[in-house]
Amino acid sequence: MRTVFAKARQGRRTGAVMLTGTDGRLAGLFTDSDLARLFEQRRDHALDRPISEVMTAAPITVGLGTRVADAVDILRRKKISELPVVDAEARPVGLIDITDLIGLVPKEEAEPVMKVA
């Protein structure tokens, strides 16, 4: 896991690492939330194990050309923050991160924030 994260974190920050098999197809997804859960569960030892042991195998994906509104609906319904985009052969071509979508919602369409007492 340490090796994967060291390589994946170079450049743009994302909330997930997509992992591929030898055929180039998406094999799994490991997110910042997965990492946080390992720490919460005091499974620090997993950091020295193969990432395949803790990744989400066969994650939820969308196909290339999926409408943004449909992707947002999946993120909302499944309560996930990252959504891999794959081509017709299931090879990753991108990753939709919920933070990428925040700027797409016009201010006047955003739901009002509830006040907490």
Side-chain angles (χ1 to χ4, degrees):
M1 275 192 48
R2 292 178 195 274
T3 304
V4 171
F5 268 85
K7 290 180 183 178
R9 294 299 180 184
Q10 296 171 352
R12 184 180 178 276
R13 186 207 175 282
T14 64
V17 175
M18 293 186 289
L19 300 127
T20 58
T22 56
D23 59 0
R25 294 176 184 219
L26 184 65
L29 183 70
F30 188 82
T31 68
D32 287 351
S33 295
D34 294 328
L35 183 60
R37 271 189 291 280
L38 290 177
F39 286 123
E40 288 168 2
Q41 297 167 358
R42 303 194 186 286
R43 294 177 55 203
D44 304 24
H45 63 279
L47 296 174
D48 295 311
R49 304 292 306 152
I51 199 163
S52 60
E53 293 181 10
V54 292
M55 72 181 188
T56 299
I60 298 166
T61 64
V62 292
L64 190 60
T66 298
R67 294 174 6 146
V68 171
D70 294 336
V72 170
D73 186 52
I74 292 168
L75 290 166
R76 183 180 297 117
R77 282 186 296 109
K78 299 294 185 176
K79 296 182 182 350
I80 57 176
S81 300
E82 291 83 23
L83 187 60
V85 180
V86 296
D87 66 13
E89 285 79 38
R91 294 181 303 230
V93 295
L95 180 70
I96 299 172
D97 187 296
I98 193 71
T99 58
D100 296 332
L101 302 173
I102 292 171
L104 297 178
V105 177
K107 188 175 180 181
E108 57 275 0
E109 289 183 27
E111 294 182 25
V113 177
M114 293 176 24
K115 291 185 179 181
V116 178

PDB file of all heavy atoms in Angstrom, residues 31 105 117:
ATOM      1  N   THR A  31      -9.858   4.380  -1.711  1.00  0.00           N
ATOM      2  CA  THR A  31     -10.146   5.794  -1.489  1.00  0.00           C
ATOM      3  C   THR A  31      -9.559   6.302  -0.171  1.00  0.00           C
ATOM      4  O   THR A  31      -9.177   5.518   0.702  1.00  0.00           O
ATOM      5  CB  THR A  31     -11.672   6.033  -1.461  1.00  0.00           C
ATOM      6  OG1 THR A  31     -12.208   5.414  -0.287  1.00  0.00           O
ATOM      7  CG2 THR A  31     -12.351   5.479  -2.707  1.00  0.00           C
ATOM      8  N   VAL A 105     -22.462  23.395  -9.961  1.00  0.00           N
ATOM      9  CA  VAL A 105     -23.819  23.732  -9.529  1.00  0.00           C
ATOM     10  C   VAL A 105     -23.911  25.242  -9.360  1.00  0.00           C
ATOM     11  O   VAL A 105     -23.211  25.819  -8.529  1.00  0.00           O
ATOM     12  CB  VAL A 105     -24.168  23.033  -8.188  1.00  0.00           C
ATOM     13  CG1 VAL A 105     -25.556  23.436  -7.706  1.00  0.00           C
ATOM     14  CG2 VAL A 105     -24.058  21.527  -8.334  1.00  0.00           C
ATOM     15  N   ALA A 117     -28.222  24.433  15.542  1.00  0.00           N
ATOM     16  CA  ALA A 117     -28.228  25.197  16.798  1.00  0.00           C
ATOM     17  C   ALA A 117     -27.121  24.764  17.710  1.00  0.00           C
ATOM     18  O   ALA A 117     -26.617  23.735  17.709  1.00  0.00           O
ATOM     19  CB  ALA A 117     -29.570  25.040  17.497  1.00  0.00           C
TER      20      ALA A 117
END
